[in-house]
Amino acid sequence: MARPLSDDKRTAILEAAAEVVAALGVSAPTAKIAKAAGVAEGTVFTYFATKDELLNQLYLAIKTELSDAVMAGYPAGGGVDRRCRHIWDRYIGWGSRHPLKRKAARQLAVSDRITGRSREVVAEAFRGFNALMRECVEGRALEGLTPEFASSLLGAVAETTIEFIAREPKRAGPYSEAGFQAFWKGVTG
Amino acid sequence: MARPLSDDKRTAILEAAAEVVAALGVSAPTAKIAKAAGVAEGTVFTYFATKDELLNQLYLAIKTELSDAVMAGYPAGGGVDRRCRHIWDRYIGWGSRHPLKRKAARQLAVSDRITGRSREVVAEAFRGFNALMRECVEGRALEGLTPEFASSLLGAVAETTIEFIAREPKRAGPYSEAGFQAFWKGVTG
Amino acid sequence: MARPLSDDKRTAILEAAAEVVAALGVSAPTAKIAKAAGVAEGTVFTYFATKDELLNQLYLAIKTELSDAVMAGYPAGGGVDRRCRHIWDRYIGWGSRHPLKRKAARQLAVSDRITGRSREVVAEAFRGFNALMRECVEGRALEGLTPEFASSLLGAVAETTIEFIAREPKRAGPYSEAGFQAFWKGVTG
Amino acid sequence: MARPLSDDKRTAILEAAAEVVAALGVSAPTAKIAKAAGVAEGTVFTYFATKDELLNQLYLAIKTELSDAVMAGYPAGGGVDRRCRHIWDRYIGWGSRHPLKRKAARQLAVSDRITGRSREVVAEAFRGFNALMRECVEGRALEGLTPEFASSLLGAVAETTIEFIAREPKRAGPYSEAGFQAFWKGVTG
DNA sequence: GATGAATGAGAATTCATTCAT
DNA sequence: GATGAATGAATTCTCATTCAT
């Protein structure tokens, strides 16, 4: 092979895309992404056939990174509360450390350019949560409180928490604690 | 002025914009909005100076409509739980009845085309909640659980609930109940 | 209607397209066509939805113009020879007077951007020839010499003739005569 | 030079170019030609400095092949009619057997990328015809019927004939006969 | 020599906005 | 005021050509 596709370059394009999409939304010009990545405009298309593919790959990359971050060091043998807390802390931590990626993911999630397939793949990556959520909601006699619903609630409450932390970083601890309690009491009763 | 600006036409444009933005995002062409509204392309610009103004006015209109819907019949003299429940039911009800407006509002909210000023105006419209939320969180000894935070949690949990209802309309009752319990227990302990 | 689509402008774009396509082939940039027509780049697309549509309309326009030119003053009551000669003279005349249109039509004809439908429409416009050609070939005992074949031969010989005239305009008369004789003797024996 | 340019590879590229140009016209991407030839994109440019050179070489190669095919077994000592017939049969035969090369040559001929020099070289290759054509037109008292004109007529009538054969291969015999008679009677009177 | 990634100048098309009617 | 044609900057994507490997 003459010059193999460079993983570094691919990553640089995705990182640049995250920044630019965070700032300008999914309508961010590919030219700006290329510039931010330090490559030629055309190079974007040797790594991603179309802009839509780039956006979908970006979505997957961010969500996968989040999933990995959240699951690292997961205390599989611990109690439900400990395991939920682990997830929570990691989620809040990753989100606080990567505000642009979080913003980009949000822009992507609401856009219609992310395919059903991509959303499925991401859902699959978070499938592991459902078992944990099942344990959480087990005692509650609430028909609507399915594990999937609980899982989405965790995400929604966490996102809200991260946003407040972003606005007032000094109160990160209290907000994180309040968010977790809101989720925990809300779901486990 | 022989022919004054018509409120009907303005409303038609906003309604059309909600639909088209829900479907295509904020990059929806003004020409498509005009067509959906049954007016000429140029007419959009006699009612809204620029597309950005149209988007901001749309955002305000939707949020104001939601706010009005939520506050209608507010039982000012009732207990905290009853008042919260009122808000909750109205919120879920309005959201379920207006999926396109909700989707449009979401697209608008994440876009960078809604000005800080617009966001402030909306926040102001929901300011009334904070008093109620203060009552909710009063007993809890949680520094981070401010009324503003509780208010955002209500919104986040409600949006999640509406989404699940949209996917499974038959289970609207159980989801609404589960969502409310999650919020209530989460915030009041 | 605010400002109706202008037939003049449409014609100007088609005329410009003929010139530019003659010079650069079907890959002629629409921007150049617009410039040659004295309109903005975008205007081309208010008259023709896509470049392909422009090319097809151009093909139809040129062929229709040729067909009209050839049939003007057709001596319906004259003998076969007189009618063939009429067609021939008009064909050579129009072709010699419109070298760019002829060149453009040739570029278009060999390109794959002219649809089958367009080709059919053109064939239909020249359908009238077949009756005349039938009279021409009637006496000959040559299975392969169908009216359609004779019609194509007329076109091929005429095009060749026009090309020689284009190179040596001073010998237009002799070339035209030689071409006609070649066709006439060749087809009627 | 350790590894000399390979004639096989050069030929493969030209053959591939014929196919791809036949299908896509002169705007066929060099990358597609490379792929069809089974070589790398860059390799095309070690055999042909530019795309224009490739196209010109392709044009020359096809026309030379045709010329060789037509002249093979030429009955130099036979009568004019026998020699013309030989040319005719070979021309029709080669054209029928190589529809893609014929189509490619047509695309190339109308494009502006074939240089005057290339056209001259091809004309030179067919110069031999002129002597034969001179014999054909000798008796006719037609100023315009020069040998060069007769030569072009032969080409035009043959191309038309081949096209009809391509559409109805079963009637190859009658069409070839009719085509030849049209040329022969047309030119020799 | 062969390879194919990298480049950046176009190319077709879209679209907010203007303005003649 | 209403209309929609006209505008041209901006956008995604293509492709001949170069050059590191």
Side-chain angles (χ1 to χ4, degrees):
Chain A
M1 231 173 297
R3 207 183 315 184
L5 282 172
S6 139
D7 252 350
D8 280 4
K9 218 159 258 181
R10 195 188 123 97
T11 303
I13 293 170
L14 284 175
E15 296 280 334
E19 278 170 46
V20 182
V21 167
L24 304 179
V26 293
S27 60
T30 53
K32 280 211 170 106
I33 294 171
K35 188 164 218 181
V39 301
E41 287 182 38
T43 301
V44 170
F45 295 95
T46 91
Y47 286 83
F48 304 94
T50 63
K51 187 181 178 184
D52 273 5
E53 197 194 310
L54 168 60
L55 294 179
N56 277 275
Q57 294 298 329
L58 175 59
Y59 183 67
L60 290 175
I62 294 175
K63 289 298 194 180
T64 300
E65 192 183 316
L66 168 59
S67 167
D68 288 352
V70 160
M71 294 311 290
Y74 185 67
V80 183
D81 53 350
R82 181 140 167 258
R83 278 177 284 141
C84 275
R85 189 69 199 220
H86 179 270
I87 299 287
W88 179 267
D89 287 343
R90 297 273 176 157
Y91 197 137
I92 301 300
W94 187 89
S96 301
R97 266 176 286 117
H98 300 97
L100 292 183
K101 285 183 180 167
R102 211 172 56 84
K103 196 168 177 205
R106 215 170 129 224
Q107 303 259 24
L108 292 165
V110 303
S111 96
D112 59 338
R113 308 185 66 162
I114 300 305
T115 65
R117 180 80 197 110
S118 293
R119 293 178 203 272
E120 272 171 38
V121 170
V122 166
E124 193 57 44
F126 285 86
R127 192 63 39 100
F129 282 12
N130 288 346
L132 176 59
M133 290 299 123
R134 177 159 290 120
E135 293 183 62
C136 289
V137 303
E138 227 150 31
R140 304 285 303 272
L142 263 175
E143 187 196 337
L145 195 58
T146 62
E148 286 77 19
F149 190 37
S151 187
S152 288
L153 286 177
L154 171 61
V157 174
E159 289 294 329
T160 304
T161 303
I162 293 167
E163 240 145 72
F164 273 74
I165 291 175
R167 275 186 247 156
E168 295 177 87
K170 297 202 168 154
R171 306 184 66 190
Y175 277 135
S176 180
E177 184 59 27
F180 181 71
Q181 291 303 331
F183 164 72
W184 184 253
K185 301 242 153 118
V187 164
T188 67
Chain B
M1 240 174 284
R3 222 181 316 177
L5 286 174
S6 137
D7 249 357
D8 278 7
K9 230 161 240 180
R10 197 188 120 97
T11 304
I13 294 169
L14 284 174
E15 295 280 333
E19 279 171 45
V20 181
V21 168
L24 304 178
V26 294
S27 61
T30 53
K32 275 204 173 118
I33 294 171
K35 186 164 213 185
V39 302
E41 287 178 43
T43 302
V44 169
F45 293 91
T46 90
Y47 288 85
F48 304 92
T50 64
K51 186 181 179 184
D52 274 4
E53 197 195 312
L54 168 59
L55 293 178
N56 278 275
Q57 293 299 328
L58 175 59
Y59 183 66
L60 291 175
I62 293 174
K63 289 298 194 181
T64 301
E65 191 183 318
L66 168 60
S67 168
D68 289 352
V70 161
M71 294 311 289
Y74 185 67
V80 183
D81 52 351
R82 177 134 172 264
R83 279 176 285 141
C84 275
R85 189 70 200 220
H86 179 270
I87 299 288
W88 179 267
D89 288 343
R90 296 274 176 156
Y91 198 136
I92 301 299
W94 187 89
S96 301
R97 265 177 286 116
H98 300 95
L100 292 182
K101 285 183 180 168
R102 210 172 56 84
K103 198 171 175 202
R106 218 170 128 225
Q107 304 258 24
L108 292 163
V110 302
S111 97
D112 59 337
R113 310 185 64 162
I114 300 306
T115 64
R117 180 80 195 112
S118 294
R119 293 178 203 272
E120 272 171 38
V121 170
V122 166
E124 193 56 45
F126 285 85
R127 192 63 40 100
F129 283 11
N130 288 347
L132 175 59
M133 291 299 125
R134 176 158 292 117
E135 294 183 61
C136 289
V137 304
E138 227 150 31
R140 303 286 301 274
L142 264 173
E143 187 197 337
L145 195 58
T146 63
E148 288 77 17
F149 190 35
S151 188
S152 288
L153 286 177
L154 172 62
V157 174
E159 290 294 329
T160 304
T161 303
I162 293 168
E163 238 146 73
F164 273 73
I165 290 174
R167 276 186 247 156
E168 294 178 87
K170 297 204 166 153
R171 304 185 64 189
Y175 277 135
S176 181
E177 184 59 28
F180 181 71
Q181 291 304 331
F183 165 73
W184 185 252
K185 301 239 154 126
V187 166
T188 66
Chain C
M1 230 172 297
R3 206 183 316 183
L5 282 172
S6 139
D7 251 351
D8 280 5
K9 217 158 260 182
R10 197 190 120 98
T11 303
I13 293 169
L14 284 174
E15 295 281 335
E19 279 170 47
V20 182
V21 167
L24 304 178
V26 293
S27 61
T30 53
K32 280 209 170 109
I33 294 170
K35 188 164 220 181
V39 302
E41 287 182 40
T43 301
V44 170
F45 295 93
T46 92
Y47 286 83
F48 305 93
T50 62
K51 187 181 177 184
D52 273 5
E53 197 194 311
L54 168 60
L55 294 178
N56 277 276
Q57 294 298 328
L58 175 58
Y59 183 68
L60 291 175
I62 294 175
K63 289 297 193 181
T64 301
E65 192 185 316
L66 167 60
S67 168
D68 288 351
V70 161
M71 295 312 289
Y74 185 66
V80 182
D81 52 351
R82 171 128 180 270
R83 279 177 284 141
C84 274
R85 189 69 200 217
H86 179 270
I87 298 288
W88 179 267
D89 287 343
R90 298 272 177 158
Y91 197 136
I92 300 299
W94 187 89
S96 300
R97 266 177 285 117
H98 300 95
L100 292 182
K101 285 183 181 167
R102 210 173 55 83
K103 196 167 177 206
R106 215 168 131 229
Q107 303 260 23
L108 292 165
V110 302
S111 95
D112 59 338
R113 308 185 67 162
I114 300 305
T115 64
R117 180 80 196 112
S118 294
R119 293 179 203 271
E120 273 171 37
V121 170
V122 166
E124 193 56 45
F126 285 86
R127 192 64 38 101
F129 284 10
N130 288 346
L132 175 59
M133 290 300 123
R134 178 159 290 120
E135 293 182 63
C136 290
V137 303
E138 228 151 30
R140 303 286 301 274
L142 263 175
E143 188 197 338
L145 196 57
T146 62
E148 288 77 19
F149 190 36
S151 187
S152 288
L153 287 177
L154 172 63
V157 174
E159 290 293 329
T160 304
T161 303
I162 294 166
E163 240 146 73
F164 274 73
I165 291 175
R167 275 185 249 156
E168 295 178 87
K170 298 205 164 154
R171 306 186 64 191
Y175 277 135
S176 181
E177 184 59 27
F180 181 71
Q181 292 303 331
F183 165 73
W184 183 253
K185 301 242 153 122
V187 165
T188 65
Chain D
M1 238 175 281
R3 223 182 313 182
L5 285 174
S6 138
D7 249 357
D8 279 6
K9 228 161 242 180
R10 198 189 120 95
T11 304
I13 292 169
L14 283 174
E15 295 280 333
E19 280 171 45
V20 180
V21 167
L24 304 178
V26 294
S27 61
T30 52
K32 275 205 174 116
I33 294 171
K35 186 164 212 183
V39 303
E41 286 178 44
T43 301
V44 169
F45 294 90
T46 91
Y47 287 84
F48 305 93
T50 65
K51 186 181 180 184
D52 274 4
E53 197 196 312
L54 168 59
L55 293 179
N56 278 274
Q57 293 298 327
L58 175 58
Y59 183 67
L60 291 176
I62 293 174
K63 289 298 193 181
T64 301
E65 192 184 317
L66 168 59
S67 168
D68 289 351
V70 161
M71 296 311 290
Y74 185 66
V80 183
D81 53 350
R82 175 131 176 267
R83 279 177 284 139
C84 275
R85 189 69 198 220
H86 179 270
I87 299 287
W88 179 268
D89 288 343
R90 296 276 177 157
Y91 197 137
I92 301 298
W94 187 89
S96 301
R97 265 178 285 118
H98 300 95
L100 292 182
K101 285 183 180 167
R102 212 172 54 84
K103 198 171 176 202
R106 217 169 128 226
Q107 304 259 23
L108 292 164
V110 301
S111 97
D112 59 336
R113 311 186 64 164
I114 300 305
T115 64
R117 181 77 196 114
S118 294
R119 293 179 204 271
E120 273 170 38
V121 170
V122 166
E124 193 57 45
F126 285 85
R127 191 63 40 100
F129 283 11
N130 288 347
L132 175 59
M133 291 298 123
R134 175 159 292 118
E135 294 182 61
C136 289
V137 302
E138 228 150 32
R140 303 286 302 275
L142 262 174
E143 187 197 339
L145 195 58
T146 62
E148 288 76 19
F149 190 35
S151 187
S152 288
L153 286 176
L154 172 62
V157 174
E159 290 294 329
T160 304
T161 303
I162 294 167
E163 239 146 71
F164 273 73
I165 291 175
R167 275 187 248 156
E168 293 179 87
K170 297 203 168 154
R171 306 185 64 191
Y175 277 135
S176 182
E177 185 59 29
F180 181 71
Q181 291 303 331
F183 164 73
W184 185 253
K185 302 240 152 121
V187 165
T188 66

